[in-house]
Amino acid sequence: QVQLVESGGGMVQAGGSLRLSCAASGRTISIYRMGWFRQAPGKEREFVASITWSGGNTNYADSVKGRFTISRDNAKNTVYLQMNSLKPEDTAVYYCAAGVSAISYHYWGQGTQVTVSS
């Protein structure tokens, strides 16, 4: 089992920045990749970004490319999401996820709220 705990959410004005953190514990040796997803009110959960645990290969949703950066610190078992140039449409609950394969994500955090005001 892998446990994930997110932190770093909050409220910011449009154009501002936030950095989310996700600390993994438990059987972290099994993690192949980690990702960030978000869910806005009345909308489905959507993919934001992902990173492979060993090689650090990254992938981003088109809506956040050039503004968000995902990174990881293997020594701390932590993944980060640096969010710059935030827009009101980035407002959502952000979830951290971990997968033991490239097919799906098996573990999820509890989510952290990000609110961007105009």
Side-chain angles (χ1 to χ4, degrees):
Q1 290 282 356
V2 174
Q3 294 77 44
L4 304 173
V5 178
E6 302 103 331
S7 61
M11 182 178 293
V12 65
Q13 289 189 332
S17 299
L18 282 174
R19 189 177 81 154
L20 305 182
S21 300
C22 175
S25 61
R27 201 169 183 274
T28 58
I29 193 172
S30 67
I31 296 175
Y32 170 76
R33 64 175 175 173
M34 292 187 70
W36 287 96
F37 291 75
R38 66 187 181 185
Q39 187 167 19
K43 295 187 177 181
E44 294 186 353
R45 187 175 299 186
E46 65 174 1
F47 168 79
V48 175
S50 66
I51 187 167
T52 56
W53 204 238
S54 60
N57 296 316
T58 58
N59 191 26
Y60 296 92
D62 289 342
S63 59
V64 307
K65 280 181 181 177
R67 300 189 298 123
F68 291 10
T69 302
I70 189 171
S71 62
R72 89 266 192 245
D73 184 332
N74 293 50
K76 295 182 178 180
N77 288 330
T78 299
V79 65
Y80 304 97
L81 185 68
Q82 178 66 44
M83 305 185 294
N84 298 330
S85 302
L86 282 162
K87 305 175 181 179
E89 50 264 44
D90 294 318
T91 295
V93 176
Y94 283 71
Y95 296 90
C96 174
V100 300
S101 71
I103 298 176
S104 61
Y105 290 90
H106 302 84
Y107 305 101
W108 294 84
Q110 80 287 351
T112 185
Q113 177 70 46
V114 171
T115 302
V116 184
S117 60
S118 57

